[in-house]
Amino acid sequence: MIVEEVMSRDVITLSPQDKIESALKLLNEHHIRHIPITDEEDQVVGIVSDRDIRDAAPSILAAEQNLDILESPLQSIMSSPVITAHPLDFIEDIASLFYDYEIACVPVTHANKLIGVVTEKDILYTLIQVTGIREQSSQIEIRVPNKIGTLPKIAQIISDRNTNISSVFLYPSKEDQSERVIVLRVQTMNPMPIIDELKKQGYHVIWPNLPGMSE
């Protein structure tokens, strides 16, 4: 999935010369946490977050304190330069940016002009969709050798039982780096026939592993 499929296109912006007070008002009115700062050509020159404002004026909600700070221009507190994304970037790359740089919002630009923003919330919601967790389904986790052709064989077992796969994830096994854990979400509320067949064919099902279930 790419950024343009999940980004918000209706973006509220301000200029570097606008006051901190204006940003605070917009953040509260629209229940947002970030405002891209753009120049007259719609190019991103900075970004301001609710945390930036709190850091600049930690007692702005106290009676009549720091009012002079609210009159300062946003260019005095905005973060710059800004990490941006392209609409054709993959969302997992953006998630990596959030983690590596400890940020929660990335403006999306095309031809150097702002066209949207993508936030941590957008990425989290997309992950929920990708996993298929909101569908009626069951999760199965299988530890397998990291060998070519393993996944198609497992998929065939599931297909033979007239069951669709909602999502597939793989990650390295903590027990053995030469193995992988395949996480499947299958469209059935009774995965036991599939689990029994997987075990019959020698696969190590690690979830579900309920009391009374045979290895």
Side-chain angles (χ1 to χ4, degrees), residues 5 11 64 74 81 208:
E5 296 179 85
V11 185
E64 304 302 320
L74 288 170

Side-chain angles (χ1 to χ4, degrees), residues 3-4 7 9 41-44 84-89 107-117:
V3 166
E4 67 178 1
M7 71 182 189
R9 297 177 182 271
E41 297 180 350
D42 229 11
Q43 295 183 345
V44 180
T84 61
H86 187 276
L88 299 183
D89 286 341
V108 183
T109 61
H110 180 64
N112 293 324
K113 294 185 181 297
L114 179 69
I115 62 170
V117 294

Side-chain angles (χ1 to χ4, degrees), residues 16-213:
Q17 292 74 38
D18 285 321
K19 297 178 181 179
I20 295 177
E21 182 180 22
S22 299
L24 178 62
K25 182 178 179 180
L26 288 173
L27 290 170
N28 291 333
E29 283 183 355
H30 296 276
H31 305 289
I32 55 178
R33 296 176 54 199
H34 302 83
I35 299 177
I37 309 302
T38 57
D39 61 18
E40 60 277 2
E41 297 180 350
D42 229 11
Q43 295 183 345
V44 180
V45 296
I47 191 167
V48 168
S49 69
D50 54 353
R51 185 171 62 181
D52 294 327
I53 295 177
R54 288 196 304 269
D55 290 345
S59 55
I60 54 177
L61 300 182
E64 304 302 320
Q65 293 188 38
N66 294 313
L67 295 183
D68 55 332
I69 295 177
L70 296 181
E71 294 295 315
S72 301
L74 288 170
Q75 62 186 2
S76 66
I77 66 167
M78 70 183 189
S79 299
S80 181
V82 183
I83 297 171
T84 61
H86 187 276
L88 299 183
D89 286 341
F90 292 110
I91 60 168
E92 54 264 38
D93 293 329
I94 304 306
S96 180
L97 287 177
F98 286 160
Y99 179 80
D100 291 340
Y101 292 95
E102 298 182 354
I103 55 179
C105 178
V106 173
V108 183
T109 61
H110 180 64
N112 293 324
K113 294 185 181 297
L114 179 69
I115 62 170
V117 294
V118 61
T119 66
E120 276 186 328
K121 186 176 180 179
D122 296 326
I123 298 296
L124 182 58
Y125 178 70
T126 301
L127 178 61
I128 291 172
Q129 288 183 304
V130 169
T131 59
I133 197 170
R134 290 192 171 180
E135 301 176 359
Q136 286 193 334
S137 58
S138 301
Q139 183 165 308
I140 302 173
E141 298 185 18
I142 313 156
R143 186 183 298 125
V144 299
N146 186 22
K147 294 181 179 179
I148 295 173
T150 301
L151 182 57
K153 291 177 182 177
I154 291 174
Q156 187 61 54
I157 292 173
I158 297 170
S159 176
D160 288 345
R161 275 140 190 82
N162 297 315
T163 303
N164 287 328
I165 298 174
S166 297
S167 64
V168 181
F169 290 89
L170 290 91
Y171 64 89
S173 170
K174 292 181 179 180
E175 286 75 14
D176 188 339
Q177 291 299 306
S178 68
E179 295 182 326
R180 295 291 182 268
V181 175
I182 300 177
V183 182
L184 299 159
R185 187 162 287 275
V186 294
Q187 293 179 3
T188 177
M189 298 306 292
N190 179 22
M192 292 311 303
I194 295 173
I195 292 171
D196 289 342
E197 184 60 27
L198 286 167
K199 290 182 176 180
K200 181 180 177 180
Q201 296 198 27
Y203 292 102
H204 184 187
V205 178
I206 59 176
W207 180 266
N209 187 15
L210 305 176
M213 291 181 63

